[in-house]
Amino acid sequence: MLFRSAEFTIGAVRAADLPTNGQPEIAFSGRSNVGKSSLINRLVQRKKLARTSSTPGKTQQLNYYWINGDFYFVDLPGYGFVQGGVGLREKLGRMVQGYVEKREPLRAVLQLIDMRHGPTESDRIMIDWLKGVNTPFLLVFTKADKLSRNKQKGLFDRLESEGTLAGISFVPFSAVSGQGRDDIVEWIEDTLRGDVD
Ligand SMILES: Nc1nc2c(ncn2[C@@H]2O[C@H](COP(=O)(O)OP(=O)(O)OP(=O)(O)O)[C@@H](O)[C@H]2O)c(=O)[nH]1
Ligand SMILES: [Mg+2]
């Protein structure tokens, strides 16, 4: 797929803000600072479309990007740590869950995991929860450039032997080198065609 156009549409803070045109949505979920906005930028080959930051918790709304005049990328609020304390953090978690459970145009979720740490407790809760939801999801292990190929393999071997990855699609990714980008684009194309379940 060629990304011919990509534009920011809306930062949604409540259900009433969400688009009503019914066009398909692909959502990006993961802890704050895991690299959601960087992944979106890498996919569309635009360095500054989605705002990235070394300060975790920058994205506290559902940021919609309108792609190729055809579908949306939705940059979800990061969970785990946000400025504003526990109340807001819980609210963001609920917002993400409510969105994934109820959003009719949602076609797929890319769930990001920081490869340096592997799945944390909150990531494992998200993965288990996604397994029980009907929407297809892809695990994207981010910041792969920070790990040698050997260490990457070691992590996947460990997760495979634990059974964490059983029946799940996953891909290592680096926003710096572009490793994994083409596989992710292909997976997104498949889900938009309805070829993934
Ligand atoms: N080395 C490396 N750094 C990355 C990669 N992806 C993201 N980063 C860095 O990690 C930090 C966070 O990236 P973001 O894309 O802003 O993360 P986010 O998940 O959107 O964060 P929130 O919006 O706060 O939830 C930034 O400093 C990025 O430059 C990667 O693949 N490799
Ligand atoms: Mg972000």
Side-chain angles (χ1 to χ4, degrees):
M1 171 168 35
L2 285 175
F3 288 90
R4 296 183 307 275
S5 64
E7 61 193 76
F8 176 72
T9 323
I10 191 173
V13 294
R14 59 185 77 82
D17 298 335
L18 302 181
T20 53
N21 60 8
Q23 292 301 109
E25 299 178 8
I26 306 285
F28 297 77
S29 160
R31 282 187 306 123
S32 299
N33 207 47
V34 69
K36 297 175 293 294
S37 303
S38 302
L39 171 57
I40 290 175
N41 288 339
R42 198 24 125 149
L43 290 175
V44 302
Q45 312 284 29
R46 292 255 305 269
K47 285 208 166 69
K48 289 184 182 159
L49 179 68
R51 272 185 57 196
T52 63
S53 170
S54 49
T55 315
K58 268 281 178 223
T59 314
Q60 301 192 2
Q61 51 199 13
L62 283 77
N63 284 323
Y64 273 75
Y65 298 92
W66 179 230
I67 310 292
N68 290 354
D70 195 22
F71 61 92
Y72 292 103
F73 279 164
V74 186
D75 194 355
L76 297 175
Y79 55 86
F81 173 89
V82 285
Q83 287 160 331
V86 169
L88 184 57
R89 178 166 69 206
E90 286 172 352
K91 202 166 125 196
L92 291 178
R94 276 206 305 278
M95 205 161 135
V96 169
Q97 296 204 347
Y99 166 83
V100 173
E101 273 171 357
K102 298 194 193 107
R103 184 69 180 157
E104 200 277 326
L106 179 66
R107 292 288 174 276
V109 175
L110 285 84
Q111 175 63 43
L112 279 60
I113 312 281
D114 191 324
M115 200 159 193
R116 295 170 302 176
H117 316 302
T120 64
E121 171 115 40
S122 57
D123 292 333
R124 287 178 189 275
I125 292 169
M126 276 305 287
I127 294 169
D128 285 341
W129 181 76
L130 282 168
K131 283 179 180 169
V133 178
N134 248 336
T135 310
F137 70 97
L138 175 70
L139 286 190
V140 177
F141 288 85
T142 63
K143 310 193 184 184
D145 55 283
K146 301 258 193 190
L147 267 78
S148 67
R149 294 274 170 158
N150 239 353
K151 285 231 166 82
Q152 294 184 29
K153 185 174 177 304
L155 173 66
F156 291 132
D157 286 348
R158 178 164 65 79
L159 294 174
E160 297 266 23
S161 68
E162 283 171 12
T164 309
L165 298 174
I168 297 183
S169 303
F170 64 92
V171 57
F173 169 74
S174 165
V176 174
S177 71
Q179 178 191 344
R181 182 210 175 251
D182 293 350
D183 292 333
I184 296 171
V185 172
E186 204 172 299
W187 188 85
I188 291 172
E189 285 176 312
D190 289 347
T191 60
L192 286 171
R193 271 200 306 269
D195 286 351
V196 175
D197 47 37

